[in-house]
Amino acid sequence: MKRKLIGLLLCVAMTATMLAGCGSKGGDAPADAPAADTPAEAPAESGDDAEADAPAASGDVITIGFAQVGHESDWRTASTKSCQDVFSAENGYDLQFVDCDNDSAVQLEAVRGFIEQDVDYIIIDPIVSTGWDTVLTECEDAGIPVIVIDRTIDDSDKYVSWVGSNFKTEGLAAGEWLKAYAAEKGINEINALVIEGSTGASATIGRTEGFKEIADREGWTIVDSQSGDFTQDGGAEVMESYCKSYEGKFNVVVCQNDNEAFGAMDAMKQAGISYGVEGDVILISFDACTAGLEFVKSGDINADFECNPLAAPFVEEVIKTLASGGTPEKEVYMEEHWFVNEDILSTIEVNGETHNLTVVTDDIIAAQY
Ligand code: AHR
């Protein structure tokens, strides 16, 4: 697709978005948009049926630059694969992929490189939520639509669309589940250790805020909260020091992703501390990738709150909308599930809404990414 056409469509789309009153994150949704948090149904994957519909059906190869956070977790691997599968050469795309290795300076450089290359679209999964306005203005000036996935950008609205998860709801869900679970088990006192994700990432900020809100409301103690950088090594290192400093003083560990939970389990094992359904420490995780769910099924992790990494099909829908002159939704929330080991609670209330809890089975694990 030719750049000028994309630039024109972007201007039209952005103007329409502004006229519709949803130009900024957190602004009022247009009257016909789904409620802000309503999860969107997954679009059909690119394939034979979708081919006639694909933006590349005209024969032009569509060039996409993707500035990915890094390769820190199983979740990240699934996210990268989702983009590589959807934006493949056989689907008519030329995907320029940059693994930014969790370095914000590298990520800004990658985006500027995509502008230099004159790509048709840029996808960014922002390592941190701030520091984006200048480079997004450069993208806008170059007429290149930017689509943000997963983590959010807080200091600029110069992107066409964002596709991802509500991290604060994930944190609230973990807290509400813990409250209901503790009541079922007759546990009266909660002393929690939190292993946070990477500092400055909206996934960390949202999950921390959500869980803390419930902890404050319920009068729980958060004994300590430190970053494990969303990695297994980080989780192990933080948990090792927690075990030394707080032995006998905690009964809950909240890891903000599965890989940190794997590291935390290793460290607790080393320290002779039991965890999970049969143990002394309740272990909570986020992401619910395959390996995480295996540990939920075995009872090592008590509950795992999904973060859906499969954004690419939704991003392709955004591109199709732009290519046909339409206005994509500014925010697209993906569907997510909450997984547990024990069949003792079937639902929890979060933000006044009832959500199902899913007991993990082999079939569920087999179907997960
Ligand atoms: O931004 C999403 C988070 O980043 C995932 O929970 C984590 O695994 C990843 O590294």
Side-chain angles (χ1 to χ4, degrees), residues 190-256:
I190 298 290
N191 293 301
L193 288 169
V194 178
I195 304 185
E196 297 180 19
S198 304
T199 305
S202 67
T204 302
I205 296 166
R207 288 171 192 163
T208 305
E209 273 180 16
F211 184 75
K212 189 175 178 308
E213 192 172 305
I214 307 298
D216 290 348
R217 190 192 70 196
E218 297 300 319
W220 300 339
T221 302
I222 296 185
V223 179
D224 207 341
S225 192
Q226 291 179 27
S227 170
D229 227 2
F230 283 132
T231 65
Q232 182 157 347
D233 286 353
E237 207 176 298
V238 173
M239 195 67 228
E240 203 182 310
S241 98
Y242 281 170
C243 289
K244 285 184 187 136
S245 307
Y246 307 114
E247 200 184 342
K249 295 186 181 138
F250 63 95
N251 59 350
V252 175
V253 172
V254 181
C255 295
Q256 288 186 352

Side-chain angles (χ1 to χ4, degrees), residues 72-73 75-76 150-151 167 203 207 230 256-257 287 307:
E72 70 284 0
S73 62
W75 188 98
R76 192 61 56 199
D150 173 35
R151 301 181 187 174
F167 301 116
R207 288 171 192 163
F230 283 132
Q256 288 186 352
N257 81 345
D287 281 359
C307 179

